[in-house]
Amino acid sequence: MTLDLTVDELLTTTRSVRKRLDFEKPVSREVLMECLDLALQAPTGSNAQGWQWVFVEDPAKKKALADIYRTNANPYLDLPKPERGDIRDEQIDAVTSSAKYLNENFEKAPVLLVPCLEGRPDGAPAGMSASYWGSLLPAVWSFMLALRSRGLGSAWTTLHLLGDGEKQAAEVLGIPFDQYAQAGLFPIAYTKGTDFKKAKRLPAEQFAHWDTW
């Protein structure tokens, strides 16, 4: 069953969901595969389709991944936040509180996801790195949109990748570290309510450039 959302509503209300993840409601493999089928229609460089998607339901493995994440998240989330002098300063406390909540409860999500891509971009020049990640990240975002359309939510997190975290996660999940890079760690759950709103963003004019910077 999908939500009655227009394309614009779907694109403007797909949030990074943390405090509104429903940790008690099971998530079926069927709905995850529906979302993955949609995500795999995303563009991928040279039609390589070098992606692999590791869904984690096992409680012990979820806990291990959450602990790896917390090793990096705990010091990061306690760092002082920069002041930017605009609307982002008004949002920082809520964002930090939300991130800390997820950090404390990560393994409670019914499913965790680690998307992977064949090869490793370590030390690659900008062009190669952009091409590499451009073959996976559109599909990951399509997956998140598909989740939203079905009443589920997630949050794109990358803190577990810092330091030795990616290699440790690879060992937990049996991912061949030398052959595949991880794009993040995503908690997946149904959301408590589906009435998400547009985020407060800076105006598009502030970011647009025409013909020159």
Side-chain angles (χ1 to χ4, degrees):
M1 181 178 177
T2 58
L3 303 178
D4 185 19
L5 298 171
T6 66
V7 172
D8 285 3
E9 287 171 336
L10 178 64
L11 290 171
T12 57
T13 63
T14 301
R15 304 264 70 81
S16 285
V17 185
R18 302 179 184 95
K19 288 187 175 180
R20 289 178 61 181
L21 293 174
D22 188 342
F23 297 140
E24 304 301 323
K25 186 175 182 179
V27 175
S28 71
R29 293 188 177 185
E30 180 181 9
V31 71
L32 294 174
M33 292 306 294
E34 286 179 6
C35 293
L36 185 56
D37 278 336
L38 293 170
L40 296 185
Q41 292 297 313
T44 175
S46 302
N47 194 32
Q49 301 179 52
W51 41 44
Q52 298 290 333
W53 305 73
V54 184
F55 295 97
V56 186
E57 300 172 311
D58 179 79
K61 291 183 178 181
K62 288 195 296 181
K63 178 62 165 57
L65 293 174
D67 286 342
I68 295 168
Y69 180 86
R70 277 190 280 265
T71 297
N72 293 322
N74 286 339
Y76 172 78
L77 292 174
D78 287 334
L79 290 174
K81 302 302 182 286
E83 294 187 7
R84 297 185 171 93
D86 56 42
I87 194 172
R88 290 172 290 184
D89 292 341
E90 301 173 13
Q91 300 167 330
I92 192 63
D93 287 344
V95 171
T96 300
S97 174
S98 176
K100 287 185 175 182
Y101 173 83
L102 179 61
N103 182 47
E104 294 165 0
N105 295 279
F106 218 115
E107 64 269 35
K108 295 180 183 178
V111 182
L112 302 182
L113 166 65
V114 179
C116 304
L117 188 63
E118 188 174 12
R120 295 205 61 84
D122 306 335
M128 292 297 294
S129 181
S131 176
Y132 178 84
W133 289 117
S135 289
L136 177 62
L137 303 192
V140 178
W141 182 239
S142 289
F143 184 82
M144 294 185 73
L145 292 170
L147 288 176
R148 163 68 174 144
S149 74
R150 285 157 173 76
L152 294 97
S154 187
W156 197 318
T157 79
T158 56
L159 288 173
H160 90 283
L161 301 173
L162 300 178
D164 293 329
E166 184 188 6
K167 182 173 287 187
Q168 293 169 1
E171 292 173 355
V172 170
L173 300 175
I175 297 170
F177 179 79
D178 293 337
Q179 300 175 42
Y180 284 87
Q182 302 167 41
L185 178 62
F186 297 75
I188 299 173
Y190 280 95
T191 59
K192 298 176 181 178
T194 58
D195 56 334
F196 292 91
K197 300 178 182 179
K198 292 177 65 174
K200 294 180 180 180
R201 298 289 196 227
L202 295 170
E205 290 79 10
Q206 190 165 331
F207 303 106
H209 306 267
W210 302 91
D211 297 325
T212 187
W213 184 266

